[in-house]
Amino acid sequence: MSARQQPRTAAAVFDALGTDYEEAFAGSAAHRASLEQLLEVLPPHGRVLDIGSGTGRPTALTLSGAGHAVLGVDVSPVMVDIASRQVPGAEFRCADIRELPLEEGGFDAVCMYFALLQMSREEQAEVLHLAARVLRSGGHLAVATVPLDVEGVSGTFMGQPVEVTSFGENEFTALVEKAGFTVQSRESSMFVPALPAAVPEPQMFLLARRR
Ligand SMILES: C[S@@+](CC[C@H](N)C(=O)[O-])C[C@H]1O[C@@H](n2cnc3c(N)ncnc32)[C@H](O)[C@@H]1O
């Protein structure tokens, strides 16, 4: 592999993509359905942590538009800059979620849509445990991933060299349960990003409750 093909960090990948990511992926009906499900169970004026908040659309925009206080955290400065402009009603911070001090039990919900795929399996488990710690008892987790049994697979994502790690559907669901959650719904579907020559990719959305 030449130096130019070395997999990039999540920050470098999403700094390069910016709003191109939103244009390709924000049209997911399953993502919007997951947000609708979350809105049904959130208390009024809830506190929501959005891990890997990207451009802020659709997640932070939908939740803050419904009156919730959203803190979005993203490791990409470009994504945080875009999200801050697109969703002025939410707060965004640029940080690796594993390094940001957060109040334990301080949130009613955590969203984590497609934010884990560039982490090792151990790191994904660690971030799910982090989500459980920052949620109040009975708090809600909305999490989505691409459910494939792959570990450290090199590839290209929207022209960016990446290394991807994930789990199959049952294994990811078990990981969420092991982190301290009861999974309440699981929706799997295929999604075609709005990209030239795009192929359908699997997506899985879980809604879970902290035990
Ligand atoms: C695939 S994008 C999804 C963005 C958004 N959640 C959505 O579904 O539209 C993943 C986002 O997670 C962010 N991310 C990846 N690892 C992170 C980490 N350790 N801490 C904070 N953000 C992270 C990336 O920078 C990127 O913006």
Side-chain angles (χ1 to χ4, degrees), residues 3 6 12 16 28 37 40 48 50 66 81 91 104 108 115-116 123-124 127 132-133 139-142 175 184 198 211:
Q6 286 297 319
S28 166
Q37 262 189 320
E40 279 171 25
V48 182
D50 184 13
D81 184 53
E91 181 188 352
E104 300 215 348
D108 298 295
L116 297 172
E123 290 169 330
Q124 295 192 31
V127 174
R133 280 199 305 280
H140 304 278
L141 172 71
L175 197 72
Q184 300 193 300
R211 286 195 290 273

Side-chain angles (χ1 to χ4, degrees), residues 10 14 21 31 52 54 73-76 79 95-98 113-115 119:
F14 287 95
Y21 179 82
H31 191 149
V73 178
D74 203 291
V75 73
S76 153
M79 289 305 220
D96 185 315
I97 191 61
R98 294 162 292 182
Y113 291 111
F114 307 106
M119 297 181 197

Side-chain angles (χ1 to χ4, degrees), residues 15 23 36 43 47 62 93 114 122 132 136 138 157 171 196-197 200:
D15 275 353
E23 282 166 28
E36 289 301 322
R47 286 191 74 203
T62 303
R93 287 198 212 150
F114 307 106
E122 292 72 22
R136 66 168 168 78
F157 177 69
E171 291 70 26

